[in-house]
Structures are given as C-alpha cells and as structure tokens.
Amino acid sequence: MAEQYVDYVLTEVGRVLLAREIAGETLTFKRFGVGDGFDYDTVNFPKRTELVNEVLSIENLKKEDVTDEKVIIKGSFSQSELEQEFYYREIGVYVVDPDDEDNELLLAYGNKNDKAELIVPSISSYVVSKELKCFFTVGKASNINIYISENATASIINFVESDWTYDSNSKTYSIYVGEVKESVKVFR
C-alpha cells in the first residue's frame, strides 16, 4: 500500500531549487532518507539540511508525471532490508545539487513524531513493503529527472504470447528464461 506522507514541507534550499526548476533548470531527485528521529519544532522544518537520525536510504526512485506541472516521486522499501526495528518517523527527499553533482541537498522534510509506525525486520511468515509517494508541483515535469545509482541494475524481459508453451494436462503455461523453467497456471 502506498504511504502518502503528510506534513512534509519544502526546506529553504528546496524552495530555491524549485524556483530554479520553474525558471527552466533541471532538478534531479536522488533518494528518500527514512529515519526515527524526533523533531517537534515544525516551524524550523524548512531550515533542516538532514534528518535527525537516518536509518534507511531509498535510492531506486520512480517518477510519475501526473500533469505537465505535477509529478509523484515514488520509492519503496521492505522490512526484509532491515537489521533491526525502528520507528518510521521522519522522511527526507534529497536531490542532486545542481551546482555540485557530487553533493546532495535536502529538498523536503517531514516528521510524524508521536504518530510513528514501528517497522520490524522480516518475520518469516510475511513481508511488509512500504511505498512512499511524494507529490510535487513543478514548473515543467520534463525538467524533473531521477538519479540512477551506479549500483542500481534492473532487468526487464518482455515476452510475447508465442514464447509460452501450453500444457493441456497440467493446464499451465511455461517459458524458459535461460535454464530456468517458469510456469504460470491461468484460472478462468
């Protein structure tokens, strides 16, 4: 289920960067930081430059263009990635510094404080995955990019129906992906 994080605000740096994007510059989203730190001083959220206590970095972001001026930045994590439990309390949205690509800047910050959710490491009977969505109004959605880490790899394989073999005895469709046989049973 998607987590729509409420009460996150643009930082002062974030406001400047979005103004630059509206003026035509490119803005590249890098990652979400998730943490368990408290910060009740909501008036000073815009002054933040980092999370109080970052626990997890979510780097494989996705961008969805809603309109020419609105985008959704998505990221997800699974509790199976954790070594110990933590309270999912704060979120930071980081972008690549347009003046120094080796640097990152905190664009937006939010904190649930006492409404935090306890996230525990993987329990053998189930896996919980959290999808984070952050909505932004921008000058042009085409000026928004997503940073791709050198370590991020993904394989997408597109199959056509003729690639599958139907077995009428087991009523399954099968395909070989390399040396691995994958089978799917279709219920009608």
Side-chain angles (χ1 to χ4, degrees):
M1 185 172 144
E3 177 79 21
Q4 292 188 13
Y5 207 93
V6 294
D7 297 333
Y8 64 90
V9 297
L10 286 176
T11 62
E12 291 173 354
V13 169
R15 291 177 187 157
V16 170
L17 292 173
L18 275 181
R20 288 173 62 175
E21 184 277 331
I22 289 169
E25 291 187 26
T26 299
L27 185 60
T28 303
F29 284 79
K30 185 171 184 182
R31 68 184 184 91
F32 290 147
V34 176
D36 63 1
F38 284 98
D39 188 352
Y40 292 103
D41 188 8
T42 57
V43 172
N44 285 314
F45 279 10
K47 296 185 184 325
R48 293 206 68 72
T49 58
E50 62 186 3
L51 274 63
V52 175
N53 186 44
E54 186 169 323
V55 174
L56 185 63
S57 179
I58 302 167
E59 295 185 354
N60 295 319
L61 302 179
K62 296 177 179 79
K63 178 185 108 169
E64 178 183 325
D65 294 345
V66 178
T67 67
D68 286 342
E69 296 85 26
K70 291 183 181 178
V71 296
I72 300 172
I73 306 299
K74 299 177 186 179
S76 63
F77 70 93
S78 167
Q79 101 266 24
S80 63
E81 300 170 37
L82 304 175
E83 294 179 15
Q84 62 186 28
E85 68 183 27
F86 79 101
Y87 279 94
Y88 169 45
R89 182 172 284 123
E90 57 181 337
I91 183 172
V93 181
Y94 288 89
V95 296
V96 174
D97 182 343
D99 299 321
D100 179 3
E101 292 185 5
D102 293 330
N103 195 18
E104 64 182 21
L105 300 170
L106 183 63
L107 179 84
Y109 176 78
N111 195 315
K112 291 182 178 182
N113 286 311
D114 294 330
K115 296 179 183 174
E117 176 183 356
L118 180 64
I119 306 289
V120 296
S122 182
I123 297 173
S124 61
S125 60
Y126 69 94
V127 174
V128 174
S129 181
K130 298 286 271 178
E131 182 180 60
L132 288 73
K133 286 184 174 183
C134 291
F135 299 80
F136 291 95
T137 301
V138 295
K140 283 182 77 174
S142 60
N143 288 345
I144 304 298
N145 293 324
I146 300 296
Y147 175 83
I148 305 296
S149 165
E150 292 176 7
N151 300 329
T153 59
S155 298
I156 298 174
I157 303 171
N158 293 315
F159 298 106
V160 294
E161 190 175 343
S162 61
D163 292 336
W164 294 87
T165 306
Y166 182 70
D167 179 351
S168 59
N169 292 331
S170 64
K171 298 185 179 175
T172 59
Y173 289 89
S174 299
I175 190 169
Y176 281 91
V177 181
E179 296 181 13
V180 178
K181 182 179 181 181
E182 297 288 340
S183 296
V184 177
K185 186 165 188 161
V186 178
F187 296 94
R188 295 182 188 204

